[in-house]
Amino acid sequence: MDEFMQAAFDEAQQGLAEGGIPIGSVLVYNGTILGRGHNRRVQKGSAILHGEMDALENAGRQPAAVYRESVLYTTLSPCPMCSGAILLYGIPRVVIGENRTFMGEEELLRSRGVQVEVLQNEECIGLMARFIEERPELWNEDIGV
């Protein structure tokens, strides 16, 4: 696992340790992490703080040129909300830890010119599979089921 996916995975583990959903993300610009985050819907009682949204929020306000040269790393395939933020800010590349436990809007991203790379990382798959098995009601709430 490269250093940026490892940072996203570390965020996912932190979210799980806090009693939340184990999905993590980092926004990287020129080889530097600008923002890191994890799903905090449970911890903050939030409707929108998925891992990607938390990483973007923690990166703070950035010029459009920064987003257009950044890479978003996320442990799980991005949902419609997070994919919309990726498109809104023109992030050109997304590296996904896995999409076996959940398939997000990868085709939408690709159709809009985003380079999507899926790693199928076994650690990311295992973390989500265990969580979904142990907390199906919380997982279903997170994805709107």
Side-chain angles (χ1 to χ4, degrees):
M1 190 177 309
D2 79 13
E3 67 177 300
F4 300 125
M5 186 53 69
Q6 183 64 57
F9 187 75
D10 292 346
E11 286 289 326
Q13 289 182 304
Q14 183 177 340
L16 184 62
E18 294 170 355
I21 299 161
I23 303 166
S25 184
V26 295
L27 181 67
V28 177
Y29 173 70
N30 283 343
T32 300
I33 295 175
L34 289 182
R36 58 180 67 229
H38 53 273
N39 186 305
R40 294 180 198 252
R41 289 188 69 246
V42 172
Q43 300 91 313
K44 299 282 189 181
S46 171
I48 62 168
L49 280 182
H50 280 187
E52 300 91 335
M53 302 298 277
D54 193 41
L56 288 168
E57 178 69 15
N58 290 329
R61 185 172 153 211
Q62 299 294 327
V66 169
Y67 293 118
R68 284 175 170 57
E69 294 180 16
S70 293
V71 180
L72 186 73
Y73 289 77
T74 181
T75 58
L76 188 66
S77 188
C79 77
M81 174 179 66
C82 297
S83 294
I86 291 163
L87 295 174
L88 177 66
Y89 291 109
I91 297 168
R93 183 170 175 239
V94 179
V95 180
I96 298 167
E98 65 104 351
N99 64 7
R100 287 189 195 155
T101 61
F102 176 80
M103 173 60 76
E105 296 295 327
E106 295 173 25
E107 288 309 313
L108 171 63
L109 293 171
R110 287 185 182 103
S111 77
R112 298 281 295 273
V114 176
Q115 179 188 349
V116 176
E117 180 182 352
V118 183
L119 303 177
Q120 299 303 18
N121 177 275
E122 292 300 326
E123 290 175 277
C124 292
I125 294 166
L127 183 64
M128 278 308 299
R130 283 188 303 278
F131 176 77
I132 291 168
E133 183 178 323
E134 292 169 7
R135 301 292 309 271
E137 73 293 339
L138 189 54
W139 172 240
N140 288 337
E141 174 192 318
D142 194 62
I143 58 173
V145 175

